[in-house]
Amino acid sequence: MHRTPVNPWNWSLNLGYNQGEVIEGTSRQLIIAGQTAVDHEGNPQHPNDMRSQIDLALNNLQAVLQSADMDLGNVIRLGVYTTDVDEALKNFDLLGMRFGPIQCAPPMTLLGATRLAMPSLMFEIEATAAA
């Protein structure tokens, strides 16, 4: 897979994502449902702790990727939903710690929501990956 960043301006690079990417040479895609801070039985974890919820949601995202023989470097798009945009942004360094070292900055959308599927959840991340 070959990725070509598309950034008519560079402000989003400071936030860890490209405005767009041209993806070439892929043979398969993985569409990943929203991953949240739930355990292996689907029970919500870390109520009222945004940082821990983001960390667990990212762990769950990586688990789905690994189950498809992919990793974070295969992610070509992220959708992020949160019940508190300001608190989520304070903890976005967690995304940078995972995507930064592999120099992956997939296009991303961040949306605020009044609530997620389960009332105690504060953060959800969905992805598209390609290989």
Side-chain angles (χ1 to χ4, degrees):
M1 171 173 68
H2 180 73
R3 305 167 83 118
T4 304
V6 177
N7 291 300
W9 45 87
N10 291 328
W11 62 263
S12 64
L13 297 177
N14 294 330
L15 299 172
Y17 70 94
N18 290 309
Q19 291 293 316
E21 288 185 336
V22 175
I23 307 296
E24 298 173 290
T26 64
S27 60
R28 61 189 188 112
Q29 285 191 357
L30 172 64
I31 310 301
I32 302 172
Q35 298 300 304
T36 60
V38 296
D39 64 16
H40 66 280
E41 294 180 356
N43 299 310
Q45 303 294 304
H46 313 297
N48 301 314
D49 184 348
M50 180 69 78
R51 189 164 188 85
S52 293
Q53 286 200 18
I54 292 172
D55 190 52
L56 183 52
L58 289 169
N59 288 344
N60 290 341
L61 175 65
Q62 286 185 272
V64 175
L65 286 162
Q66 289 170 355
S67 293
D69 295 321
M70 294 185 185
D71 59 32
L72 290 175
N74 294 102
V75 173
I76 60 172
R77 187 181 188 307
L78 291 171
V80 177
Y81 308 91
T82 182
T83 58
D84 188 336
V85 171
D86 294 328
E87 191 63 24
L89 286 171
K90 288 179 192 174
N91 292 285
F92 254 44
D93 63 305
L94 291 170
L95 277 80
M97 290 167 40
R98 305 231 189 167
F99 286 95
I102 60 170
Q103 298 181 349
C104 182
M108 176 186 347
T109 299
L110 170 63
L111 294 172
T114 55
R115 74 163 264 197
L116 299 176
M118 295 176 215
S120 63
L121 295 175
M122 304 163 64
F123 185 87
E124 187 165 346
I125 187 167
E126 63 184 15
T128 302

